[in-house]
Amino acid sequence: MSTHPFDLTGKLAVVTGAKRGLGKAMAEALAAAGADIIGVSATLEPNGSEVERTVESLGRSFSARAVDFSDRDAVRSLGAELATLERPVDILVNNAGTIERAPAAEHPDELWDQVLQVNLSSQFVLSREIGRAMIARGMGGKIIFTASLLSFQGGINVPGYAAAKSGIAGLTKALSNEWAVHGINVNAIAPGYIATDNTEALRNDPSRSQAILDRIPAGRWGAAGDMAGAVVFLASPASDYVSGTVLPVDGGWMGR
């Protein structure tokens, strides 16, 4: 067994929202550290996806699952399947998510419900199923959520998203309180303003984009690859005494 604290050789990682953006970057980073990957996304191709090609080029195995996280029954079925695999899941990265923008006074119930289901309720359902299997196995594990700067702040025109990501911060701590004793480390990464599909509207608004850049000490929007070090750390033995933490990766935004 390797003594390198960041070595993930022989580990199996499930990464949701793996088709593009942060999830794709995190899946590739885990593969580069030695993990085999099960990628999950609503529209992930069964074969031949870009993330699959990259993971396999790194010498790791990849398998795909297409699951809509707005469908709780589908997520429950995914959790049941993953919990009973012959090869157990060592790492779960809960990254699937969506965002809907509308002022709070005009924010319809259906958008609120959609965002809470995808970004919070389904995250709990999947974590519960895999966490239960990790406890029964008795060999620990790593569960990593994608939180947000809006886990700490309120945002503008995204009340459902802010509520869900605040909930993720609380869920991270709640699960850690119960599962750390079983050797299961539950933590979250809070990305800053990253150049992905979710932030396209902000980046296309010159005044908002400039206001955001003016506050980031690093002086740039983040890239999906900026999540690599954090996810490998939280997935690896290097973080065995880190639990219940929400780790900002934000170019210094929270320190400003």
Side-chain angles (χ1 to χ4, degrees):
M1 186 180 209
S2 172
T3 58
H4 193 296
F6 300 100
D7 184 15
L8 299 178
T9 300
K11 301 296 185 181
L12 177 62
V14 173
V15 182
T16 70
K19 182 172 181 176
R20 59 182 184 272
L22 300 184
K24 178 175 178 291
M26 290 192 285
E28 292 169 356
L30 294 172
D36 297 313
I37 306 296
I38 296 175
V40 184
S41 188
T43 59
L44 186 61
E45 302 92 330
N47 294 288
S49 66
E50 184 177 350
V51 63
E52 177 182 8
R53 293 196 300 271
T54 302
V55 167
E56 291 184 346
S57 75
L58 293 165
R60 310 316 309 168
S61 70
F62 182 90
S63 62
R65 305 289 191 280
V67 176
D68 180 358
F69 273 68
S70 68
D71 181 343
R72 187 176 301 192
D73 288 339
V75 175
R76 190 179 292 113
S77 294
L78 171 67
E81 179 210 347
L82 295 175
T84 56
L85 290 176
E86 182 176 347
R87 181 182 180 186
V89 174
D90 301 292
I91 301 158
L92 169 62
V93 179
N94 282 301
N95 172 73
T98 189
I99 192 166
E100 297 289 352
R101 300 181 185 277
E106 304 164 13
H107 207 86
D109 290 353
E110 56 267 24
L111 293 189
W112 172 273
D113 292 343
Q114 167 86 357
V115 171
L116 267 290
Q117 179 60 52
V118 173
N119 290 12
L120 183 57
S121 297
S122 286
Q123 313 298 320
F124 169 69
V125 169
L126 186 57
S127 299
R128 180 189 64 204
E129 299 305 307
I130 291 183
R132 183 189 294 126
M134 287 178 172
I135 292 169
R137 178 186 173 203
M139 297 182 66
K142 305 284 185 172
I143 297 177
I144 304 163
F145 290 96
T146 297
S148 169
L149 292 183
L150 299 195
S151 298
F152 309 103
Q153 303 171 346
I156 299 170
N157 295 334
V158 285
Y161 186 85
K165 292 301 186 178
S166 295
I168 286 294
L171 181 59
T172 297
K173 297 170 188 176
L175 296 183
S176 171
N177 288 343
E178 294 191 37
W179 294 350
V181 70
H182 299 288
I184 301 169
N185 299 93
V186 185
N187 292 288
I189 299 170
Y193 285 92
I194 311 297
T196 65
D197 292 349
N198 276 1
T199 61
E200 184 175 5
L202 296 177
R203 288 181 287 115
N204 289 340
D205 181 330
S207 61
R208 287 293 306 282
S209 180
Q210 190 59 52
I212 288 167
L213 282 173
D214 287 344
R215 181 174 164 165
I216 301 173
R220 66 173 176 87
W221 285 76
D226 289 322
M227 302 301 112
V231 75
V232 170
F233 167 63
L234 293 177
S236 74
S239 65
D240 279 353
Y241 201 60
V242 179
S243 202
T245 292
V246 182
L247 173 63
V249 181
D250 63 356
W253 175 281
M254 289 296 295
R256 185 65 178 265

